[in-house]
Amino acid sequence: MTTQHVPYDGLDDGEGLPGSRGEHILQKLFDTRERAERFYGRQVVDRLTPQMREFVARQQMAFVGTADAAGNCDTTFRSGPPGFVRVLDDTRMVYPEFRGNGVLASMGNILENPHISLLFVDFFEDLVGLHVNGMASIMTAYDAARRYGLNDEDQTAPGKKAERWIMVEVEEAYIHCSKHIPLLVRQDRRERAAEGRRPAGDDYFGVGRVRSAELSGHEAGKPVG
């Protein structure tokens, strides 16, 4: 199915409602405005409720969405012990950044474009999710410790050292309903290892083998395909 471009001129853009102009226009075109307004009115807030703060404090994972100045998107995954994302108050939360592959895609996007989206999903108990949208900034470990008392001794992730922290100033928070969230079962990594099931290796998707074949082909002067 191809989505056709629809001119904005003359369409109700939902001024004053939460969300983007694009979603408001589609709500009008697809006749979902009434349902959307009910959702906005009942579920969308500009800060974290006490229940949201408690929910975040129990989570061990989050999906993080960022985009660069041109709008090119990147979604990544962050995890840690329960509460690795720290709620400072009802409008601010922080999460740690550890040593990784050195690409720094998410922080690079934040440097260009501070808009950020976090999705927390409880796959194991309540089968519910929480969207948090806001503005992000990068803090050094030194600043995080000096200003907010976040340091290596707080056991954010045992055995790991937070090199930087991301501050998120909350602008919008709302529920992700349970309708299509799968129920998952926790399994200890040691149990998986005992069953002979190991974590995926670096070349799980075969990129290294493809690159190696390309390099060999180029060196031999042969086309690769």
Side-chain angles (χ1 to χ4, degrees), residues 79-191:
S79 64
F84 80 102
V85 177
R86 306 297 183 88
V87 178
L88 300 179
D89 52 44
D90 60 359
T91 61
R92 296 180 303 166
M93 61 171 57
V94 294
Y95 67 86
E97 286 283 7
F98 301 109
R99 179 182 174 86
N101 58 18
V103 174
L104 306 178
S106 296
M107 286 195 290
N109 286 345
I110 290 169
L111 195 64
E112 295 186 23
N113 175 1
H115 293 281
I116 192 169
S117 175
L118 287 85
L119 173 60
F120 302 89
V121 183
D122 182 348
F123 294 102
F124 307 104
E125 296 179 9
D126 296 333
L127 298 183
V128 70
L130 173 66
H131 294 265
V132 179
N133 299 326
M135 303 292 281
S137 56
I138 304 168
M139 286 191 299
T140 64
Y142 173 80
D143 281 341
R146 180 176 59 86
R147 297 174 62 183
Y148 303 106
L150 301 169
N151 52 50
D152 294 337
E153 287 71 41
D154 64 13
Q155 295 298 297
T156 299
K160 296 182 178 180
K161 180 179 180 181
E163 295 188 341
R164 298 166 190 84
W165 292 76
I166 305 301
M167 169 72 73
V168 179
E169 297 188 33
V170 179
E171 295 183 336
E172 186 177 68
Y174 56 92
I175 192 172
H176 187 101
C177 71
S178 64
K179 187 174 183 180
H180 299 296
I181 296 177
L183 175 62
L184 304 183
V185 177
R186 298 180 190 273
Q187 185 177 24
D188 190 277
R189 283 176 176 260
R190 289 169 295 185
E191 294 177 5

Side-chain angles (χ1 to χ4, degrees), residues 2-11 21-22 25-26 29-30:
T2 301
T3 302
Q4 296 181 343
H5 174 73
V6 178
Y8 284 178
D9 294 344
L11 291 176
R21 187 179 183 216
I25 290 171
L26 291 179
L29 289 172
F30 298 156

Side-chain angles (χ1 to χ4, degrees), residues 62-65 74-78 95 106:
F63 301 92
V64 181
D74 184 82
T75 302
T76 191
F77 175 77
R78 294 290 182 267
Y95 67 86
S106 296

